[in-house]
Amino acid sequence: MEPTPRHIAAYFALMEAGALLQQLVEKQLRDEGNLSYIQFRVLAQLAEAPDQSVRMTDLADGVVYSRSGLTYQADRLEQNGLIVRTPSPDDERSVTVTITEAGREALAHVLPGHIDLVARELFGPLSEEDVTAMADVLTRVRDNLRNAPRRRAPRRRPAAGGDDGRPSR
Amino acid sequence: MEPTPRHIAAYFALMEAGALLQQLVEKQLRDEGNLSYIQFRVLAQLAEAPDQSVRMTDLADGVVYSRSGLTYQADRLEQNGLIVRTPSPDDERSVTVTITEAGREALAHVLPGHIDLVARELFGPLSEEDVTAMADVLTRVRDNLRNAPRRRAPRRRPAAGGDDGRPSR
DNA sequence: AGTATGCGCTTCGAATTCGAAGCACTTTCC
DNA sequence: GGAAAGTGCTTCGAATTCGAAGCGCATACT
């Protein structure tokens, strides 16, 4: 399939719109609540979780983020008293993250401004139909992207008969 | 305007789709051409410029990036011989960036895989109508976002009769 | 049971990011 | 014409980012 100019326009518009919006959002959260966008997403995810708790891995998957990056941000959030980390009861390896009262307050504090900002900057120029179309198309795109990255080739057959070129560790 | 669940879905879908796609693209460019996404955008912008040259500031605006960040990436690109920086002829302050032959080759080298990736991962699940709708809506959003951040209040009337409180530099 | 493999999280190091500050040149305004 | 304000870029420092490596627990296979 040959890409048309419209395809290219759609591609760049998506990337740029996402980047621009993230910059605005990041600034609002920083100014009003001293939170990064990732931290905001983490808190939001915890707040709507059944028992205010989620495992680290599920958090990372939820916010599209590297595991080490999440560890770093979780350190920040815990230092600031917005979350608590405890070993998971059922699986000794995993860590359960729970939002604290202070965390809920921090979230509640930035939320109104956040909603205002998004309503103004993102949805401002859009009609209801536009919003519907955008949600529809982008949801499909996102779900597709969430599955596609399965390029983590399982590396089957760990060189049963010879060196596969991978350096020893 | 009260945000509906559909608004929220659209907002997160935009942010996540952008982030996921960027990760895939970043990886492809890194693997196949040792380029970051920003570097790719810079080269692409230079390649389509009238005389293969653009000023630093215009580049930064074009790719949605901080000036200092662009300086850093321009250093990398220049070290690798993909661009050249020369003082601008008309304005002694500004720097004109020009893509080199090696730069064009690097771009040509990653482009086919790039187009494949985007066609597959982004446009794969979309119909022609979807692409049109997405381009239409997101272009408007992006253009709106490009202008909106004008919270740099123009600070009109530079205190014709007294100190406006702004610290001297 | 016992070893091999896999999973969940953190630590580590190196690269990248941004804003603030600095520098040099340009334009504006008396 | 000269100070004041603005513009374009780089430098600087501090924070953030990610992948690779490390560690301990869990699961599979025999």
Side-chain angles (χ1 to χ4, degrees):
Chain A
M1 158 112 73
E2 195 67 17
T4 69
R6 199 190 289 103
H7 283 80
I8 298 181
Y11 167 43
F12 282 130
L14 170 61
M15 299 293 270
E16 294 176 21
L20 286 165
L21 183 56
Q22 176 148 13
Q23 284 187 349
L24 289 184
V25 159
E26 199 95 42
K27 175 158 178 47
Q28 183 263 328
L29 293 173
R30 183 70 61 197
D31 289 348
E32 296 183 19
N34 194 38
L35 291 174
S36 70
Y37 177 66
I38 296 294
Q39 293 174 338
F40 170 74
R41 289 294 303 274
V42 166
L43 292 180
Q45 219 174 126
L46 291 171
E48 36 177 83
D51 49 352
Q52 310 276 295
S53 303
V54 179
R55 294 187 315 148
M56 286 288 282
T57 288
D58 296 333
L59 272 180
D61 290 344
V63 297
V64 183
Y65 211 57
S66 74
R67 276 76 212 294
S68 55
L70 180 64
T71 294
Y72 177 82
Q73 291 297 348
D75 286 346
R76 297 276 94 47
L77 286 170
E78 194 165 36
Q79 279 178 13
N80 295 344
L82 306 187
I83 64 168
V84 172
R85 275 184 287 193
T86 55
S88 298
D90 51 318
D91 188 332
E92 206 50 51
R93 294 169 300 179
S94 67
V95 170
T96 297
V97 181
T98 307
I99 191 171
T100 64
E101 180 55 30
R104 276 187 295 274
E105 283 171 14
L107 192 56
H109 186 257
V110 296
L111 211 44
H114 190 75
I115 292 172
D116 279 356
L117 176 70
V118 174
R120 182 161 24 93
E121 304 295 355
L122 173 58
F123 296 122
L126 303 184
S127 68
E128 282 301 314
E129 294 77 37
D130 290 334
V131 176
T132 302
M134 181 173 132
D136 170 45
V137 173
L138 288 184
T139 297
R140 258 182 297 145
V141 166
R142 181 204 43 201
D143 292 346
N144 188 251
L145 286 169
R146 274 203 193 278
N147 295 340
R150 290 283 170 262
R151 55 186 79 281
R152 308 180 54 181
R155 181 74 74 189
R156 55 187 60 247
R157 306 274 288 97
D163 191 347
D164 65 352
R166 187 169 36 170
S168 67
R169 47 176 91 171
Chain B
M1 157 114 70
E2 196 66 19
T4 68
R6 199 190 290 104
H7 284 79
I8 299 181
Y11 167 43
F12 282 130
L14 171 61
M15 299 294 269
E16 293 176 21
L20 286 165
L21 184 54
Q22 177 149 11
Q23 285 188 349
L24 289 184
V25 158
E26 198 96 42
K27 175 159 178 47
Q28 183 261 328
L29 293 173
R30 183 70 63 198
D31 290 348
E32 296 183 18
N34 194 38
L35 292 174
S36 70
Y37 177 64
I38 296 295
Q39 293 174 338
F40 170 74
R41 290 293 304 273
V42 166
L43 292 179
Q45 220 174 126
L46 291 172
E48 37 176 82
D51 50 353
Q52 311 276 294
S53 303
V54 178
R55 295 187 315 148
M56 286 288 282
T57 288
D58 296 332
L59 272 179
D61 289 344
V63 299
V64 184
Y65 212 58
S66 73
R67 278 73 210 296
S68 54
L70 181 63
T71 294
Y72 178 81
Q73 291 297 349
D75 286 347
R76 297 278 93 51
L77 286 170
E78 193 164 36
Q79 279 176 13
N80 295 343
L82 306 187
I83 64 168
V84 171
R85 275 185 286 193
T86 56
S88 297
D90 52 317
D91 189 331
E92 206 51 53
R93 293 169 301 181
S94 66
V95 170
T96 297
V97 180
T98 307
I99 190 171
T100 65
E101 180 54 31
R104 278 187 294 273
E105 283 171 13
L107 191 58
H109 186 257
V110 296
L111 210 45
H114 190 75
I115 291 173
D116 280 357
L117 177 70
V118 174
R120 181 160 26 93
E121 304 295 355
L122 172 59
F123 296 122
L126 303 185
S127 68
E128 282 301 315
E129 294 75 40
D130 290 333
V131 176
T132 301
M134 181 173 133
D136 170 45
V137 173
L138 288 184
T139 296
R140 257 182 300 145
V141 167
R142 181 202 45 198
D143 292 345
N144 189 251
L145 286 169
R146 275 202 194 278
N147 296 340
R150 291 280 171 266
R151 54 188 79 281
R152 309 179 55 180
R155 182 76 75 194
R156 57 186 58 249
R157 307 277 288 103
D163 191 348
D164 66 351
R166 187 166 36 172
S168 66
R169 46 173 94 169

